[in-house]
């Protein structure tokens, strides 16, 4: 059975790894690089790891696994009637096709956006690292996990770091939790400008509604835009991302989508962890198992400098502190979510308990 995967990110490579040997797997990737770890890019920019450590698999890994890797190849169109993927290097027939094209970084909509960089690819990271070594300081726009991960690592590496965020809280959490995270990052030197709107970027700094923030190096890190172009060109239904069901089926027979490019119930995954989890479920689906992915339960684990944060399930509404570093959220008497600060090992046990509706110790 011919399985074509478009995209070599965490979802695409996990799926290929799971099904190699059972299917004839081909990965189509427009970048010229084999799989690398995007969650580790901020560690690379900070100088904590060399570039080669971003690549988890040796150069001959794909070949040994029996995976046909087509680098520098762009997927142009899915011919759904002939079951052929049209690429920049020719046509590729498929029995099942999986779109795992990820997302691109959201760019700011302010004047002077050409003075603001984004972080999504290794090329982006190389440019930021080069500029950072010259400037010694950085202004990061955003209050989500990409912004805070970058801010924490660069502050830990002794760079001057400013975070500009239009919201009052971080990571969409309540004020109490947000303050704990902010204090931890301020402890390593991050300077926060909350409830601050960027108005215009200039070469030498940033105009905001709360004054001028100097700094030549500015990076936008507030959100992603799903790469849905291949699906849209091919007549496959899309909203913000490519629309899928619990089995990752798109509106086109034998075409699936996973990871940051896929949308279910208004939700886009947004993390490497969720893309890997989705790939594991889709591998079972393609084997013929009756598996499905629970989009209603989301969890994410981050490390900002040396400060761990786990966001598990639903974190809105009535919450109470279970331990000094763990806040649990309830619907009636049932735990539906939690935020754990610091100890991520304990958080994994907590995630299992909430997901499986087990008692929380």
């Amino acid at each position: 059975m011919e399985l074509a995967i478009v995209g070599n990110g965490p979802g695409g490579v996990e799926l290929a790894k799971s099904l190699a040997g059972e299917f004839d797997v081909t990965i189509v990737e427009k970048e010229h690089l084999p799989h690398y770890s995007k969650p580790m890019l901020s560690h690379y920019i900070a100088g904590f790891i060399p570039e080669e450590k971003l690549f988890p698999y040796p150069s001959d890994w794909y070949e040994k696994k029996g995976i046909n890797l087509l680098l520098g190849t762009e997927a142009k169109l899915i011919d759904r009637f002939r079951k052929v993927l049209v690429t920049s290097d020719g046509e590729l027939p498929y029995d099942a096709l999986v779109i795992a094209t990820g997302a691109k970084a959201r760019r700011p909509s302010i004047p002077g956006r050409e003075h603001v960089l984004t972080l999504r690819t290794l090329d982006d990271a190389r440019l930021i690292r080069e500029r950072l070594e010259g400037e010694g300081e950085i202004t990061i726009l955003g209050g989500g996990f990409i912004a805070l991960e970058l801010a924490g690592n660069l502050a830990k590496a002794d760079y001057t770091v400013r975070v500009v965020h239009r919201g009052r809280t971080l990571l969409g959490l309540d004020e109490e939790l947000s303050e704990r995270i902010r204090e931890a990052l301020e402890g390593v030197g991050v300077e926060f400008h909350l409830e601050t709107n960027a108005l215009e970027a200039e070469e030498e700094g940033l105009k905001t509604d709360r004054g001028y923030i100097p700094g030549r190096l500015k990076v936008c890190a507030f959100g992603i835009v799903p790469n849905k172009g291949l699906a849209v060109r091919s007549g496959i239904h899309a909203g913000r991302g490519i629309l899928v069901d619990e089995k990752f089926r798109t509106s086109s027979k034998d075409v699936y989508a996973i990871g940051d490019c896929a949308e279910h119930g208004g939700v886009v995954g947004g993390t490497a962890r969720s893309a890997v989890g989705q790939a594991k479920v889709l591998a079972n689906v393609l084997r013929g198992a009756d598996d499905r992915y629970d989009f209603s339960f989301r969890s994410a684990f981050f490390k900002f400098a040396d400060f761990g944060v786990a966001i598990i399930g639903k974190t809105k509404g009535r919450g109470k502190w279970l331990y000094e570093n763990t806040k649990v959220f309830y619907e009636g008497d049932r735990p539906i979510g939690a935020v754990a600060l610091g100890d991520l090992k304990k958080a994994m046990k907590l995630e299992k308990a909430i997901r499986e509706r087990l008692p929380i110790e």
Side-chain angles (χ1 to χ4, degrees):
M1 185 167 164
E2 299 282 349
L3 173 63
I5 302 170
V6 184
N8 193 32
V13 84
E14 177 67 31
L15 184 66
K17 185 166 67 170
S18 299
L19 294 177
E22 300 173 61
F23 291 72
D24 292 325
V25 180
T26 299
I27 297 177
V28 175
E29 170 56 55
K30 69 177 180 182
E31 281 198 68
H32 291 268
L33 297 167
H35 174 72
Y36 59 89
S37 171
K38 290 184 177 178
M40 296 302 289
L41 288 177
S42 66
H43 297 260
Y44 161 71
I45 294 168
F48 296 149
I49 60 169
E51 189 174 300
E52 56 267 25
K53 289 286 186 188
L54 294 169
F55 296 86
Y57 305 118
S59 56
D60 60 351
W61 178 82
Y62 293 90
E63 192 178 340
K64 283 184 175 173
K65 275 280 184 183
I67 299 166
N68 181 26
L69 176 63
L70 304 178
L71 291 177
T73 304
E74 188 172 354
K76 299 283 194 181
L77 189 76
I78 301 164
D79 186 331
R80 299 177 289 138
F81 304 103
R82 292 169 56 225
K83 293 188 78 168
V84 163
L85 175 67
V86 181
T87 80
S88 55
D89 288 343
E91 294 189 344
L92 184 68
Y94 67 84
D95 295 301
L97 185 143
V98 179
I99 307 172
T101 45
K104 54 181 173 281
R106 185 177 296 282
R107 295 195 61 81
S109 54
I110 56 173
R113 64 178 72 77
E114 66 273 13
H115 300 300
V116 183
L117 303 179
T118 56
L119 175 58
R120 193 68 189 174
T121 67
L122 179 52
D123 280 345
D124 295 336
R126 286 169 176 158
L127 178 57
I128 293 167
R129 179 168 166 159
E130 183 187 329
R131 290 278 308 276
L132 186 64
E133 285 171 0
E135 302 291 342
E137 60 178 12
I138 186 171
T139 301
I140 300 165
L141 282 66
F145 68 90
I146 299 171
L148 299 186
E149 212 162 46
L150 184 60
N153 280 323
L154 297 188
K156 185 181 165 188
D158 291 329
Y159 291 104
T160 298
V161 180
R162 295 170 289 267
V163 170
V164 177
H165 178 44
R166 62 187 178 189
R168 186 171 176 167
T169 64
L170 304 169
L171 297 170
L173 298 173
D174 66 31
E175 293 206 16
E176 200 174 25
L177 285 162
S178 178
E179 193 173 329
R180 291 279 295 270
I181 294 166
R182 180 175 56 78
E183 284 172 356
L185 283 165
E186 284 177 341
V188 293
V190 178
E191 176 189 309
F192 281 93
H193 299 261
L194 299 180
E195 295 182 275
T196 301
N197 289 288
L199 302 177
E200 184 179 351
E202 297 177 343
E203 192 172 344
E204 299 296 328
L206 188 70
K207 286 182 180 175
T208 79
D209 57 358
R210 294 202 164 197
Y212 191 77
I213 299 172
R216 290 169 60 85
L217 177 56
K218 295 166 284 294
V219 175
C220 178
F222 54 60
I224 57 173
V225 179
N227 288 323
K228 62 183 181 181
L230 175 63
V232 172
R233 288 194 300 274
S234 306
I236 294 169
H237 296 169
R240 183 180 161 218
I242 303 163
L243 300 176
V244 298
D245 65 8
E246 291 97 338
K247 292 176 179 282
F248 305 103
R249 293 176 295 201
T250 68
S251 61
S252 181
K253 189 176 185 323
D254 297 321
V255 178
Y256 304 80
I258 56 169
D260 293 354
C261 67
E263 176 188 348
H264 179 278
V267 172
V268 170
T271 66
R273 194 167 186 263
S274 64
V276 169
Q278 291 179 14
K280 287 176 176 173
V281 170
L282 180 56
N284 289 335
V285 169
L286 292 173
R287 290 183 183 113
D290 185 27
D291 203 354
R292 58 196 65 229
Y293 187 80
D294 183 2
F295 282 88
S296 67
F297 189 90
R298 305 174 73 195
S299 63
F301 289 65
F302 312 112
K303 214 158 196 189
F304 308 136
D306 294 319
F307 187 69
V309 178
I311 302 174
I312 300 161
K314 294 174 181 170
T315 55
K316 304 288 184 198
R318 184 173 67 87
K320 71 175 188 186
W321 290 94
L322 182 64
Y323 315 107
E324 184 190 347
N325 289 329
T326 306
K327 193 172 192 177
V328 179
F329 293 81
Y330 295 85
E331 201 169 75
D333 293 329
R334 183 170 74 86
I336 56 166
V339 177
L341 308 175
D343 186 356
L344 296 185
K345 283 184 184 170
K346 191 185 286 183
M348 287 183 180
K349 292 180 184 171
L350 191 60
E351 179 193 35
K352 180 174 166 49
I354 293 171
R355 186 193 290 273
E356 297 178 10
R357 300 193 177 193
L358 302 172
I360 291 177
E361 296 169 3

